[in-house]
Amino acid sequence: MNGLPQLRVYGKVYVLRLGHRPERDRRITTHVALVARAFGANGFVMEGTCDDHVMRSIEKVLRSWGGKMHLECGVDGLRYASSWEGDVIHLTMYGVPLEKIIDSIASSPRPKLVIVGAEKVRREYYEIAHYNVAVGNQPHSEVSALALFLDRLFRGSWTNIMFEGAKLKIIPSEKGKRVMRVDGR
Ligand code: SAM
């Protein structure tokens, strides 16, 4: 043990992104995927459309910065969520405050599917979800909601993730940018 908190293991923690609109959501959906990876999820799934632009961006990050992630697109979101074997968690400002429910969610070792929307989320998702969770009861963003939720789920231990197969690694610096190639160059 190195004294650092270990990453909690749930087997699968996947993020399901609903309602992606290629003409306006590319950047934010890519950010949802990047947050999913960086904050400890191991799957990113897009409902409906398959946007190669988003998928290529996350694949590129995985190649350079490492980590393994299940990537999938074009799924039927309702079918995916209702056949999920584990806990289905829908992030919505209308839900139960995160701080009230996170201990109960985190204490179960079952795989987790975390759902985030774009615009209006169909009523059925509120029914299918085992937990409708609010990260504060104000409207903000799927990116911030997901980051905060995963941070609480993993109790901050995502900061210790070693991304397998990384070609690049940052050397934290007070000023400037120091990036090391992991192959030593
Ligand atoms: N009216 C939406 C709602 O139900 O939360 C806000 C739409 S927001 C542009 C897009 C997504 O961000 C939502 O579907 C939800 O997943 C997430 N989101 C926004 N604010 C949130 C909050 N306070 N708590 C949890 N999730 C939030």
Side-chain angles (χ1 to χ4, degrees), residues 45-51 55 72-77:
V45 180
M46 273 172 79
E47 176 234 21
T49 172
C50 256
D51 189 333
M55 289 298 167
E72 197 175 342
C73 61
V75 306
D76 176 327

Side-chain angles (χ1 to χ4, degrees), residues 109-123:
R110 282 152 51 92
K112 319 245 176 265
L113 181 68
V114 187
I115 303 177
V116 296
E119 246 185 335
K120 197 169 159 46
V121 171
R122 283 172 60 178
R123 161 135 231 103

